[in-house]
Amino acid sequence: MKKGQILTGIVERVDFPGKGIVNTEEGQCTVKNVLPGQKVSFVVSKKRNGHAEGRLLKIEENSPMETGSPCSHFGECGGCAYLSLPYERQLQIKEEQVKKLLSGALDKQERAWKFEGIKPSPVCEGYRNKMEFSFGDSFKGGPLSLGMHKRGSFYDIVTVSGCKIVDSDYRRILAFTRDYFDGASFYHRLHHEGYLRHLLVRKAAKTGEILIALVTTSQIDPQIQEKEFLGTWKDKLLNLDLTGKITGVLHILNDSVADVVQSDRTDILYGKDYFYEELLGLKFKISVFSFFQTNSLGAEVLYETARDYIGKLDEEGKPDKVVYDLYSGTGTISQLMAPVARKVIGVEIVEEAVEAAKKNAELNGLHNCEFIAGDVLKVLDVIEEKPDLIILDPPRDGVHPKALRKIIGYGVDKIVYISCKPTSLARDLEIFLENGYEAERVVAVDQFPWTSGIETVVLLSRKKSEGKSAKIEIEID
């Protein structure tokens, strides 16, 4: 197998995150954007240390498992990976991916660990409560597009007016906004010129409240009178036939060179800059940039699972445990634990999320939650109260190695680790196992149907020695 060689083969399996293992007469090659059972042709793009990577050229034959796609954008849009497979088969793929990744670490421990399979999402279509759509064109010099990036492209945008992972309100808002701004300039990511950047839509599954934000640069398009033009856009939005209720329309100015949604200035065109969502009997105030699980109904499954793994904290009927919720976001898990703990301490680096967590706890009448803004690595040095239980829900890259060692150094009996990237989780579990912990239970939770994303929950217990907890001594640099 040589670089530049064009080969044909059958996809044996897909490893996380979407790495297809293709068998050919020349050997195996990793190719993205394929499905198990497909016959594909590809060009070898990399060859290093006996491992080859290829770029997909064509799907020669569909997989026997494919049943067709309900979305006209599938294959062109880069959002979904498994849309042509039955949902049950997709769950099987994700379950196998997680088990394979974690077995490499957990099979080394003395104690047998229990893998509890995968929990499906309660809804498979229209489940997302947040979408960031990009303005652009589908080809150079083409008409205005509003939607998602084309698969494998940094510049080209597909207008996803038929997207199935959002409900009809998103599709109506997207289609209307694209048509309304047709002819206006979009921000070119190479030349850093243009006006329109993103359309951000958030909708609560339980309350039906909708928050809409148009993100532009400060480079006023000469074809429009901005104030009047945006005012008319807002008025027409409010007259759309939607199932939910618009509670806020915002205009966000962003002159950052990076292709990210952020605010240099935010103007409220209508209503307010937040909305409310409900999870497991609690109410949450969510702003345009607040972190919140993108599948509200799926989040209930995820957090109920975490709560089950944690077990009872008040076995004697009197809550006396201190719980650390590290990487706490807007404090969802903290608040779910508050009724059965003496105190919950949440740590989150995003200050806006911390302020939102404080307000949400107050909104829900919870007075034993403390939220601290800062890097977990640094904040752990200043918290005086030591934990009895630790919950981890880190970003995709996992826990910083030095923070991980500080966490292990507390020597708590139980740690619940929630991960959205099983490769990072597998790496971190190796360190836990090396330092006196064992995994008891593991389960995958599908929060992102049709995509390659998957959540995993792990219950870690401190090893016991002669009826007592094993002493953990760890050097912290």
Side-chain angles (χ1 to χ4, degrees), residues 170-230:
Y170 287 82
R171 296 192 288 270
R172 290 190 182 102
I173 292 166
L174 179 147
F176 161 72
T177 300
R178 195 226 70 86
D179 291 346
Y180 183 83
F181 285 101
D182 193 21
S185 66
F186 65 88
Y187 181 75
H188 197 284
R189 294 164 182 81
L190 179 62
H191 304 299
H192 310 306
E193 296 176 348
Y195 180 64
L196 299 166
R197 298 196 69 157
H198 297 94
L199 176 70
L200 177 64
V201 184
R202 305 192 74 157
K203 180 182 177 182
K206 295 291 185 68
T207 67
E209 295 185 347
I210 303 171
L211 186 63
I212 302 170
L214 179 73
V215 185
T216 74
T217 67
S218 60
Q219 303 172 36
I220 303 300
D221 192 309
Q223 299 185 57
I224 65 175
Q225 296 294 321
E226 186 178 52
K227 187 174 182 180
E228 292 79 5
F229 200 65
L230 294 183

Side-chain angles (χ1 to χ4, degrees), residues 420-441:
C420 60
K421 188 178 181 183
T423 47
S424 299
L425 173 62
R427 180 203 64 213
D428 289 349
L429 288 177
E430 293 266 12
I431 299 175
F432 277 112
L433 265 59
E434 291 169 2
N435 291 281
Y437 280 89
E438 293 178 319
E440 284 188 40
R441 303 169 65 186

Side-chain angles (χ1 to χ4, degrees), residues 396-414:
R396 289 183 60 80
D397 289 338
V399 184
H400 188 286
K402 289 185 178 180
L404 192 60
R405 294 187 178 276
K406 290 181 181 180
I407 291 164
I408 291 170
Y410 285 116
V412 299
D413 288 336
K414 286 187 177 183

